[in-house]
Amino acid sequence: MTTGAISNELPLLPLAEWLAHTHELVPADDERSEIDWDAATTDLRHEPQAHCD
């Protein structure tokens, strides 16, 4: 007996077509080319500061 199990079934052909289409739109290794990682991680490199409202 399985408790709390959820069965999710996706139509395989539409999923495969969608995935192939996304790979055509965004070539491999280009996914992150538009992100400025220095700017995106600036907050992670600094000491947290207390906020007063």
Side-chain angles (χ1 to χ4, degrees):
M1 178 177 185
T2 304
T3 305
I6 297 174
S7 174
N8 288 324
E9 294 184 23
L10 297 173
L12 216 43
L13 185 57
L15 179 60
E17 290 172 347
W18 172 82
L19 188 57
H21 183 67
T22 60
H23 281 271
E24 291 172 10
L25 294 175
V26 183
D29 297 325
D30 281 354
E31 309 91 358
R32 293 177 247 160
S33 65
E34 297 295 321
I35 297 174
D36 179 353
W37 287 104
D38 290 329
T41 59
T42 296
D43 290 341
L44 298 175
R45 292 181 271 148
H46 295 289
E47 294 286 325
Q49 298 178 5
H51 295 279
C52 297
D53 293 332

